[in-house]
Structures are given as structure tokens and as C-alpha cells.
Amino acid sequence: MIKLHDKYFKPFLSQTEIQSAVEDLAKKISDDHKEETPIFIGVLNGSFMFVADFLKAYEHPCEVSFVKLSSYQGLTSTGIVETLLDPPENIEGRTVIILEDIIDTGRTLKELVHLFSNTNVKEFKIATLFYKSEIYNGEYSIDYVGIEIPNKFIVGYGLDYNELGRNLKEVYQLNQKHMINLVLFGKPGAGKGTQAEFLKEKYNLKHISTGDLFRYNMKNDTELGQLAKSYIDKGDLVPDEVTIKMLQDDVEKNPEASGFIFDGFPRTTAQAQALDEFLVSKGMKIDATIALEANDEILIQRLLERGKVSGRTDDQDEDKIRNRFDEYNQKTAPLKDFYEAQNKFHSVNGIGEIDEITMRLSKVIEEL
Ligand code: AMP
């Protein structure tokens, strides 16, 4: 397994497998074109390694040139294709064979065909080393295919993940291990923090509590802590921009986590939307939002008891606690609908013994 930026990749195609596919392509193409001198056009950057090995295996007269387009950013195609290096001049009447490292959706291919559409070449053919038939839109026929591959993100042998991995001799596939990402939902005092401590051990998850992060920053008197203090002391929510940024930074710090428990986040619709977008950009998603249900009077008693031990000022004053409940009812409760619309909302009775409640939560998690 190798790590590039924040992602892990596992071996997929060996040097031998790649080399034999390249040689087969060279053989097929030379059988069809050995009577003439074709111009091979590599598509940069990804095809440089394929073009070099291909030309070494092509044993007849030929010319080589390159074009450069851009379409990929991160793990998914942006769909924006720009021409960065134009086709060579004087190719009129010649046989042009495109050498692509990979064809997936066909968007880059469309741009390539367009680039050569007014060049009056004698023949225009397309060869690709890797081909994702499952997602190819089928707009143009592909004349030569090296290896058909499943629709998984790959790197190596010229292909990159945000510019890393091009120099690998083998091809690697994104290792999409199964993650569990949970949102623990519920009013202050519902037991989110307590339960998260048990669940994180049981399921090997990273627990992120935005309340704890704020308290850590307040204790260390950081700029973020000073800003958060004025809100937390009144029982108000800290502004979304600040909280979202802090949460994202903490997720980024844990690229190896096998999943997260988000505790106390999201607390507003804007936070929930930002979380969804952020997770998608990381190839992740929320699997379930589990609400711990308990009535206000029980929660107020719990919080006042906790305040005596923890020293949390926001747990010691009934008015502040009621204000936190108001914030919850106004801003957080609507998230129930948000997650219900995604079929991800689960409700669990939060009253009872701690281990009994852990069992109720585990039942939901194990049925996911
Ligand atoms: P907690 O420990 O989760 O009850 O959070 C304590 C306090 O931190 C809350 O009353 C808010 O002032 C602040 N806070 C924690 N999480 C968030 C959040 N997701 N959005 C806004 N403020 C938050």
C-alpha cells in the first residue's frame, strides 16, 4: 500500500502486465500501419510513460508529437477541458494515431476529436492503454485498447493524484476501505460525549466534538478560543464559518481514521450542508445520524449535576441551559428533516443505563 497526499492506494497492475499490454498494442498498430509512417500523438501529461514504452516496442518508421489538455482535478473529472499545447502543424494527408493513457467518460476524447477536426488528416485513430468501458459515453469508436479496467481511480505509470504518483512503475488503485461516519445528535446533556467515548473504542472511530475543541482552545487561550468564549458563555452557538473551518481542519488532521463520530456538529443546516460537501470532496459520506432522545427536565438536572463536577460555566446556570435548548430547537432540530430526507436519521431512547444506551446505538450501527 502507498500513500499519496491524504489517500492510500493498493497495487493493481504489475510492470509485466502493463508492458505486455503496451507491446500487444504496438504489434497490432504496426500490423495495420507498417506500410506508412504514422504520426503518434501522445496526450500529456499522463501518457508520457506509455508513449516512451510504446515507441520502443514499435519497430517501424514513425513520428511522435504531443498535445496537452487538462481535465482532472483530484479524484473526479472536473469536466473542464482546456487546450494547453496544440497539435503539430503540417499533418494534412498523414495518418494520426492518438496515444492516450486512459479513456474514462470520453470528455477529453471529445475535445481531442474536435482539435483534429479541421486538420484534413488522412486517417485519425485512437489508441488507449487503459479504458473504463463502464463509464465511457460511447460517442466515438476507440480503435485500439490496451487493458479494460473497472471504474476505480488509478495512479502510476504516468497517471497522477494531484500530480503525485506519475513516476510509479506499476499502477495502483484507490483503496476505498469501508468507513463509518456517524453524527451523534441530541440536546445538550443527552449523552453524546459519553456514548461517543464507548463507540469510538468499539468501532475504532475518531471522535470529534466541536464543544471539546472549543473548550481546548479556550483553555489554551488561542485566538479561536477567545472568539468562541463570548458565545459559549451565553449559551449561544459559535458562528458557522468558524465552527465549519475548525471541524474541517480536525478531519484533515486524521487522514488514516477508519471513520468519524461527529459530536455536537452539525448544529445548523449550513453546517450540515458544508459537512456533506466537504465529505464528498474527500470521497466520504455520513452513514447515519443517531439522535439520543430525552426530555428537557431530565436534561436540565443532568447538566446542573455535570456543572458541579466539570466546572463548565454553561452547565451551571439554568438560564444559559434553557438558552442552549432554544438554540437547539430553532437551529439544530430542523436537521432531523435534513437527514430524514437522506434516509439517514435514526432515533434512540437516551434514558437508561449508559451501557444499555450503547447497546441501542450499536444495534443501529450494526444494521447499517
Ligand atoms: P457542547 O459541548 O457540544 O454542548 O458545546 C458547547 C458550546 O460550544 C455550545 O453551546 C456552543 O456555544 C459551542 N458549539 C459547539 N459545537 C458547535 C457547533 N457545531 N456550532 C456552533 N457552536 C457550537
Side-chain angles (χ1 to χ4, degrees):
M1 195 102 87
I2 55 159
K3 188 179 180 198
L4 301 172
H5 297 292
D6 58 334
K7 300 257 178 283
Y8 287 86
F9 295 84
K10 59 185 176 193
F12 175 49
L13 295 168
S14 68
Q15 264 180 284
T16 321
E17 286 170 294
I18 301 167
Q19 217 48 46
S20 97
V22 172
E23 282 163 20
D24 285 354
L25 275 174
K27 168 93 178 56
K28 269 189 232 144
I29 298 177
S30 67
D31 284 352
D32 291 351
H33 298 277
K34 59 178 171 240
E35 306 305 331
E36 53 187 327
T37 306
I39 306 177
F40 291 112
I41 305 223
V43 185
L44 291 174
N45 289 334
S47 75
F48 71 93
M49 219 181 259
F50 167 44
V51 174
D53 285 343
F54 176 88
L55 291 178
K56 283 185 262 175
Y58 192 86
E59 292 171 342
H60 299 277
C62 64
E63 293 177 24
V64 65
S65 189
F66 292 92
V67 290
K68 183 166 177 171
L69 305 167
S70 84
S71 76
Y72 262 102
Q73 231 171 47
L75 297 177
T76 49
S77 179
T78 57
I80 303 156
V81 186
E82 250 186 294
T83 311
L84 305 169
L85 182 64
D86 288 323
E89 286 168 7
N90 304 327
I91 53 173
E92 201 175 320
R94 303 289 302 273
T95 290
V96 164
I97 302 172
I98 297 289
L99 295 182
E100 259 284 30
D101 46 332
I102 185 163
I103 291 180
D104 45 32
T105 61
R107 266 197 290 248
T108 313
L109 187 57
K110 188 183 175 81
E111 182 67 12
L112 274 171
V113 172
H114 177 72
L115 261 182
F116 287 86
S117 59
N118 293 319
T119 51
N120 290 323
V121 294
K122 178 176 151 221
E123 240 188 324
F124 180 78
K125 289 199 168 171
I126 298 156
T128 185
L129 178 56
F130 304 120
Y131 172 53
K132 291 186 179 173
S133 57
E134 283 167 40
I135 54 165
Y136 180 56
N137 64 17
E139 202 170 347
Y140 306 100
S141 68
I142 300 167
D143 303 281
Y144 304 99
V145 170
I147 306 177
E148 267 198 45
I149 58 166
N151 182 24
K152 296 264 174 64
F153 189 84
I154 57 168
V155 291
Y157 198 71
L159 291 107
D160 73 310
Y161 167 47
N162 285 346
E163 294 310 323
L164 290 185
R166 294 196 194 276
N167 57 329
L168 298 164
K169 298 185 189 77
E170 311 82 10
V171 167
Y172 290 76
Q173 200 176 55
L174 182 65
N175 187 41
Q176 282 166 318
K177 51 185 175 173
H178 183 63
M179 282 188 112
I180 312 177
N181 298 308
L182 304 172
V183 172
L184 275 189
F185 197 73
K187 285 187 178 165
K192 303 187 293 292
T194 307
Q195 290 301 328
E197 287 302 314
F198 289 103
L199 297 177
K200 81 170 190 193
E201 293 301 328
K202 192 163 175 185
Y203 298 104
N204 187 26
L205 305 173
K206 163 83 186 150
H207 172 205
I208 299 186
S209 152
T210 40
D212 285 350
L213 287 174
F214 283 131
R215 281 185 288 278
Y216 176 83
N217 278 279
M218 291 195 295
K219 197 168 144 221
N220 290 290
D221 203 25
T222 65
E223 216 174 300
L224 175 65
Q226 288 166 6
L227 184 126
K229 194 172 183 339
S230 54
Y231 298 94
I232 293 177
D233 275 350
K234 284 186 265 167
D236 290 343
L237 291 187
V238 179
D240 282 341
E241 322 76 87
V242 179
T243 313
I244 291 168
K245 168 86 176 49
M246 179 181 73
L247 184 280
Q248 292 179 345
D249 288 348
D250 215 56
V251 173
E252 304 268 13
K253 279 187 208 148
N254 292 283
E256 283 156 52
S258 57
F260 291 89
I261 303 177
F262 298 106
D263 157 12
F265 188 96
R267 262 177 156 102
T268 63
T269 307
Q271 289 180 12
Q273 281 163 347
L275 181 62
D276 274 358
E277 276 168 34
F278 173 68
L279 292 181
V280 166
S281 79
K282 304 249 127 211
M284 293 155 59
K285 63 171 177 19
I286 293 295
D287 296 286
T289 293
I290 316 180
L292 285 165
E293 309 281 2
N295 75 47
D296 286 6
E297 296 319 308
I298 290 183
L299 292 178
I300 291 170
Q301 287 320 309
R302 273 194 198 171
L303 288 170
L304 289 170
E305 283 304 312
R306 185 171 78 180
K308 287 184 203 158
V309 186
S310 72
R312 275 180 62 171
T313 49
D314 59 345
D315 280 350
Q316 291 172 9
D317 174 333
E318 197 167 325
D319 286 344
K320 286 184 192 172
I321 293 175
R322 291 207 184 267
N323 186 41
R324 284 158 71 197
F325 286 4
D326 285 347
E327 287 279 77
Y328 179 91
N329 291 333
Q330 277 173 39
K331 299 175 183 166
T332 312
L335 291 185
K336 179 171 187 237
D337 292 343
F338 180 92
Y339 285 110
E340 249 167 6
Q342 299 186 9
N343 270 329
K344 289 181 183 166
F345 193 83
H346 305 261
S347 206
V348 155
N349 178 3
I351 307 290
E353 295 296 323
I354 292 177
D355 57 350
E356 211 182 316
I357 301 169
T358 311
M359 300 263 281
R360 292 175 198 152
L361 290 163
S362 304
K363 187 162 179 286
V364 174
I365 296 168
E366 278 151 32
E367 281 172 7
L368 286 176

